[in-house]
Amino acid sequence: MSEPTGLQGTVPVLDKPTRDEGPGTAGAAEHRFWSARRVPAAVVAVVLLVVAGAFLYDVAAVRAHRSAMAWRSGLAHQLAERPLDDIWVRVGAGVAVALGLWLILLAVTPGLRDVLPMRRTHPDVRAGLDRDAAALVLRDRAMEVAGVQSVRVRAGRRRADVRALCHFRDLDDVHADLDAVLADAVRGLGLVRPLTLSVHVRRPGKKG
């Protein structure tokens, strides 16, 4: 579901909040969107399913008076006899720790860094604006300023970096106009945390 904004597909809207957020509270409005993490969750689930299935099958085979699989016997032998300071034990422990920290990091961080939270106009609806869409809006507004030949805008989570080429008019005048126009454009984006502007204006380089 998306809101009609003129930039189709750039403003994702969730019908229900993804976190416990009371409508109208300032703290709740500042929460970022959380990623579903479908790919990491699916990879972990498949790996755990395969490993658990292999161990379960082998245990069931042993209970049925069959010999244990060679890989499990070899693994048990290695774990029983290999010392803890062995290089392969350290490597395996390091890999396990790194994977565990990665999963914890995925669990406690929101993700969706490209979606900027917007102010709520309805208590049950949250909206977000894609950073590329925000940069496009600022670029279009900057191109309306007289004297601006081209503009490059990079929008981050906190700041928008605007670099403009001016082919006529005084640079200070163009800079002042850009500051005013872009400040108004940032307010019009309706973001919870308005972007801080960093505007740079220069002349085009000489050709050849």
Side-chain angles (χ1 to χ4, degrees), residues 127-150:
L129 181 63
D130 189 84
R131 290 195 306 194
D132 290 339
L136 181 61
V137 171
L138 297 180
R139 176 188 173 277
D140 289 345
R141 291 295 303 275
M143 288 298 297
E144 297 174 1
V145 175
V148 173
Q149 180 180 13
S150 63

mmCIF file of all heavy atoms in Angstrom, residues 127-150:
data_model
loop_
_atom_site.group_PDB
_atom_site.id
_atom_site.type_symbol
_atom_site.label_atom_id
_atom_site.label_comp_id
_atom_site.label_asym_id
_atom_site.label_seq_id
_atom_site.Cartn_x
_atom_site.Cartn_y
_atom_site.Cartn_z
ATOM 1 N N ALA A 127 4.605 6.251 7.627
ATOM 2 C CA ALA A 127 5.091 6.409 6.260
ATOM 3 C C ALA A 127 6.578 6.705 6.284
ATOM 4 O O ALA A 127 7.111 7.257 7.252
ATOM 5 C CB ALA A 127 4.341 7.547 5.559
ATOM 6 N N GLY A 128 7.252 6.309 5.227
ATOM 7 C CA GLY A 128 8.681 6.566 5.107
ATOM 8 C C GLY A 128 9.007 6.980 3.683
ATOM 9 O O GLY A 128 8.338 6.565 2.736
ATOM 10 N N LEU A 129 10.016 7.806 3.556
ATOM 11 C CA LEU A 129 10.445 8.310 2.256
ATOM 12 C C LEU A 129 11.821 7.760 1.936
ATOM 13 O O LEU A 129 12.748 7.857 2.752
ATOM 14 C CB LEU A 129 10.479 9.837 2.270
ATOM 15 C CG LEU A 129 10.890 10.539 0.968
ATOM 16 C CD1 LEU A 129 9.896 10.248 -0.147
ATOM 17 C CD2 LEU A 129 11.023 12.027 1.187
ATOM 18 N N ASP A 130 11.956 7.174 0.766
ATOM 19 C CA ASP A 130 13.240 6.643 0.337
ATOM 20 C C ASP A 130 14.243 7.777 0.162
ATOM 21 O O ASP A 130 13.901 8.856 -0.324
ATOM 22 C CB ASP A 130 13.073 5.882 -0.984
ATOM 23 C CG ASP A 130 14.316 5.128 -1.374
ATOM 24 O OD1 ASP A 130 14.508 3.999 -0.886
ATOM 25 O OD2 ASP A 130 15.114 5.679 -2.155
ATOM 26 N N ARG A 131 15.489 7.532 0.560
ATOM 27 C CA ARG A 131 16.497 8.592 0.495
ATOM 28 C C ARG A 131 16.745 9.053 -0.936
ATOM 29 O O ARG A 131 16.988 10.232 -1.178
ATOM 30 C CB ARG A 131 17.803 8.104 1.117
ATOM 31 C CG ARG A 131 17.713 7.943 2.618
ATOM 32 C CD ARG A 131 19.060 7.827 3.271
ATOM 33 N NE ARG A 131 19.901 6.788 2.715
ATOM 34 C CZ ARG A 131 21.017 6.335 3.303
ATOM 35 N NH1 ARG A 131 21.390 6.827 4.471
ATOM 36 N NH2 ARG A 131 21.733 5.403 2.742
ATOM 37 N N ASP A 132 16.690 8.134 -1.891
ATOM 38 C CA ASP A 132 16.878 8.534 -3.290
ATOM 39 C C ASP A 132 15.739 9.446 -3.748
ATOM 40 O O ASP A 132 15.959 10.389 -4.527
ATOM 41 C CB ASP A 132 16.944 7.301 -4.194
ATOM 42 C CG ASP A 132 18.227 6.513 -3.991
ATOM 43 O OD1 ASP A 132 19.202 7.098 -3.482
ATOM 44 O OD2 ASP A 132 18.253 5.317 -4.333
ATOM 45 N N ALA A 133 14.525 9.173 -3.277
ATOM 46 C CA ALA A 133 13.394 10.040 -3.625
ATOM 47 C C ALA A 133 13.557 11.419 -3.001
ATOM 48 O O ALA A 133 13.261 12.450 -3.635
ATOM 49 C CB ALA A 133 12.084 9.404 -3.158
ATOM 50 N N ALA A 134 14.024 11.474 -1.759
ATOM 51 C CA ALA A 134 14.270 12.765 -1.110
ATOM 52 C C ALA A 134 15.332 13.549 -1.869
ATOM 53 O O ALA A 134 15.191 14.768 -2.090
ATOM 54 C CB ALA A 134 14.698 12.546 0.336
ATOM 55 N N ALA A 135 16.405 12.858 -2.294
ATOM 56 C CA ALA A 135 17.454 13.530 -3.060
ATOM 57 C C ALA A 135 16.913 14.057 -4.392
ATOM 58 O O ALA A 135 17.282 15.151 -4.847
ATOM 59 C CB ALA A 135 18.617 12.570 -3.299
ATOM 60 N N LEU A 136 16.026 13.290 -5.039
ATOM 61 C CA LEU A 136 15.443 13.712 -6.311
ATOM 62 C C LEU A 136 14.585 14.961 -6.131
ATOM 63 O O LEU A 136 14.628 15.887 -6.949
ATOM 64 C CB LEU A 136 14.615 12.574 -6.898
ATOM 65 C CG LEU A 136 13.947 12.834 -8.247
ATOM 66 C CD1 LEU A 136 14.997 13.137 -9.309
ATOM 67 C CD2 LEU A 136 13.094 11.656 -8.665
ATOM 68 N N VAL A 137 13.804 15.017 -5.047
ATOM 69 C CA VAL A 137 12.980 16.193 -4.787
ATOM 70 C C VAL A 137 13.858 17.425 -4.581
ATOM 71 O O VAL A 137 13.601 18.501 -5.147
ATOM 72 C CB VAL A 137 12.087 15.960 -3.553
ATOM 73 C CG1 VAL A 137 11.391 17.248 -3.141
ATOM 74 C CG2 VAL A 137 11.044 14.884 -3.852
ATOM 75 N N LEU A 138 14.903 17.279 -3.780
ATOM 76 C CA LEU A 138 15.798 18.408 -3.524
ATOM 77 C C LEU A 138 16.518 18.848 -4.802
ATOM 78 O O LEU A 138 16.710 20.047 -5.033
ATOM 79 C CB LEU A 138 16.818 18.033 -2.449
ATOM 80 C CG LEU A 138 16.250 17.716 -1.064
ATOM 81 C CD1 LEU A 138 17.371 17.352 -0.098
ATOM 82 C CD2 LEU A 138 15.449 18.895 -0.517
ATOM 83 N N ARG A 139 16.894 17.883 -5.622
ATOM 84 C CA ARG A 139 17.560 18.234 -6.882
ATOM 85 C C ARG A 139 16.630 19.020 -7.800
ATOM 86 O O ARG A 139 17.031 20.033 -8.399
ATOM 87 C CB ARG A 139 18.032 16.954 -7.578
ATOM 88 C CG ARG A 139 18.661 17.203 -8.941
ATOM 89 C CD ARG A 139 18.928 15.906 -9.677
ATOM 90 N NE ARG A 139 19.374 16.161 -11.031
ATOM 91 C CZ ARG A 139 18.571 16.406 -12.056
ATOM 92 N NH1 ARG A 139 17.254 16.434 -11.857
ATOM 93 N NH2 ARG A 139 19.049 16.637 -13.258
ATOM 94 N N ASP A 140 15.387 18.563 -7.909
ATOM 95 C CA ASP A 140 14.436 19.268 -8.770
ATOM 96 C C ASP A 140 14.185 20.695 -8.277
ATOM 97 O O ASP A 140 14.069 21.626 -9.078
ATOM 98 C CB ASP A 140 13.114 18.495 -8.832
ATOM 99 C CG ASP A 140 13.244 17.201 -9.617
ATOM 100 O OD1 ASP A 140 14.256 17.052 -10.337
ATOM 101 O OD2 ASP A 140 12.354 16.342 -9.512
ATOM 102 N N ARG A 141 14.083 20.869 -6.965
ATOM 103 C CA ARG A 141 13.874 22.213 -6.425
ATOM 104 C C ARG A 141 15.095 23.100 -6.632
ATOM 105 O O ARG A 141 14.969 24.291 -6.929
ATOM 106 C CB ARG A 141 13.543 22.130 -4.930
ATOM 107 C CG ARG A 141 12.182 21.525 -4.616
ATOM 108 C CD ARG A 141 11.048 22.387 -5.144
ATOM 109 N NE ARG A 141 11.094 23.741 -4.615
ATOM 110 C CZ ARG A 141 10.565 24.121 -3.452
ATOM 111 N NH1 ARG A 141 9.941 23.232 -2.698
ATOM 112 N NH2 ARG A 141 10.635 25.373 -3.045
ATOM 113 N N ALA A 142 16.288 22.505 -6.514
ATOM 114 C CA ALA A 142 17.511 23.285 -6.712
ATOM 115 C C ALA A 142 17.655 23.737 -8.160
ATOM 116 O O ALA A 142 18.153 24.838 -8.431
ATOM 117 C CB ALA A 142 18.723 22.464 -6.285
ATOM 118 N N MET A 143 17.209 22.910 -9.099
ATOM 119 C CA MET A 143 17.316 23.273 -10.513
ATOM 120 C C MET A 143 16.414 24.443 -10.877
ATOM 121 O O MET A 143 16.580 25.053 -11.937
ATOM 122 C CB MET A 143 16.984 22.057 -11.387
ATOM 123 C CG MET A 143 18.043 20.970 -11.380
ATOM 124 S SD MET A 143 19.627 21.517 -12.029
ATOM 125 C CE MET A 143 19.198 21.922 -13.725
ATOM 126 N N GLU A 144 15.444 24.766 -10.017
ATOM 127 C CA GLU A 144 14.565 25.901 -10.280
ATOM 128 C C GLU A 144 15.225 27.241 -9.971
ATOM 129 O O GLU A 144 14.708 28.296 -10.362
ATOM 130 C CB GLU A 144 13.285 25.772 -9.441
ATOM 131 C CG GLU A 144 12.440 24.544 -9.778
ATOM 132 C CD GLU A 144 11.272 24.376 -8.827
ATOM 133 O OE1 GLU A 144 11.122 25.233 -7.921
ATOM 134 O OE2 GLU A 144 10.505 23.401 -8.984
ATOM 135 N N VAL A 145 16.350 27.216 -9.285
ATOM 136 C CA VAL A 145 17.040 28.456 -8.918
ATOM 137 C C VAL A 145 17.769 29.012 -10.137
ATOM 138 O O VAL A 145 18.479 28.279 -10.846
ATOM 139 C CB VAL A 145 18.032 28.204 -7.765
ATOM 140 C CG1 VAL A 145 18.841 29.454 -7.450
ATOM 141 C CG2 VAL A 145 17.277 27.740 -6.519
ATOM 142 N N ALA A 146 17.606 30.278 -10.388
ATOM 143 C CA ALA A 146 18.250 30.928 -11.538
ATOM 144 C C ALA A 146 19.767 30.881 -11.383
ATOM 145 O O ALA A 146 20.313 31.162 -10.315
ATOM 146 C CB ALA A 146 17.782 32.380 -11.647
ATOM 147 N N GLY A 147 20.432 30.502 -12.481
ATOM 148 C CA GLY A 147 21.883 30.450 -12.486
ATOM 149 C C GLY A 147 22.445 29.067 -12.248
ATOM 150 O O GLY A 147 23.633 28.836 -12.474
ATOM 151 N N VAL A 148 21.624 28.136 -11.803
ATOM 152 C CA VAL A 148 22.097 26.780 -11.530
ATOM 153 C C VAL A 148 22.121 25.981 -12.820
ATOM 154 O O VAL A 148 21.107 25.859 -13.515
ATOM 155 C CB VAL A 148 21.208 26.083 -10.483
ATOM 156 C CG1 VAL A 148 21.612 24.625 -10.333
ATOM 157 C CG2 VAL A 148 21.300 26.797 -9.147
ATOM 158 N N GLN A 149 23.285 25.447 -13.142
ATOM 159 C CA GLN A 149 23.431 24.659 -14.367
ATOM 160 C C GLN A 149 23.170 23.173 -14.117
ATOM 161 O O GLN A 149 22.496 22.517 -14.901
ATOM 162 C CB GLN A 149 24.844 24.846 -14.923
ATOM 163 C CG GLN A 149 25.105 24.064 -16.214
ATOM 164 C CD GLN A 149 26.513 24.272 -16.724
ATOM 165 O OE1 GLN A 149 27.366 24.795 -16.003
ATOM 166 N NE2 GLN A 149 26.772 23.888 -17.951
ATOM 167 N N SER A 150 23.697 22.649 -13.047
ATOM 168 C CA SER A 150 23.486 21.242 -12.697
ATOM 169 C C SER A 150 23.632 21.097 -11.190
ATOM 170 O O SER A 150 24.286 21.898 -10.528
ATOM 171 C CB SER A 150 24.475 20.327 -13.430
ATOM 172 O OG SER A 150 25.800 20.613 -13.033
#
